[in-house]
Amino acid sequence: MYTHRTIEEVEPREIEGIEPRLRAIGYELRPEETRPSVWEYREGESNNRHRQGQQEELYLVLSGRFEMEIEGETVDLAAGDVIVVPPESWRQLTACEDSRVLVVGAPNVADDGIVYEE
């Protein structure tokens, strides 16, 4: 059938070693084909520079502003902007202000991220 939640109904989680907070909407909704998450950033926070093993990722900025570095190119993103990044591209988000972003990965693969090691 279907599952319905508001973002605010999903408790935020702190993940060790990762600055933004996660609202694991995918865990709550249990979709089969996609892996959605809402990430909440404070101004100046960045996620780990990473790429995916298999997942293409769609990013929808829900609020705030980000700079996204993709393969050495910087893209400015604001509320309402959507960007799709292929799995093999290295990427990193940095919040220019307190911000929230919906990230949807497909296919639904657990632990697909590969963190950049300097």
Side-chain angles (χ1 to χ4, degrees), residues 43 59 68 77 115:
E43 182 176 353
Y59 295 76
M68 183 177 218
L77 300 170
V115 175

Side-chain angles (χ1 to χ4, degrees), residues 25-84:
I25 60 175
Y27 182 80
E28 291 287 324
L29 299 175
R30 307 276 185 195
E32 293 181 21
E33 304 295 326
T34 63
R35 192 169 187 86
S37 299
V38 173
W39 293 91
E40 297 173 334
Y41 289 72
R42 292 181 191 94
E43 182 176 353
E45 283 185 332
S46 296
N47 65 346
N48 294 328
R49 182 176 163 81
H50 71 286
R51 67 176 186 81
Q52 301 300 126
Q54 299 176 49
Q55 289 181 341
E56 175 179 72
E57 288 184 322
L58 177 143
Y59 295 76
L60 167 61
V61 179
L62 301 173
S63 65
R65 293 182 307 110
F66 290 94
E67 285 185 348
M68 183 177 218
E69 187 271 322
I70 307 167
E71 293 290 328
E73 181 180 339
T74 301
V75 178
D76 293 322
L77 300 170
D81 285 349
V82 180
I83 189 166
V84 175

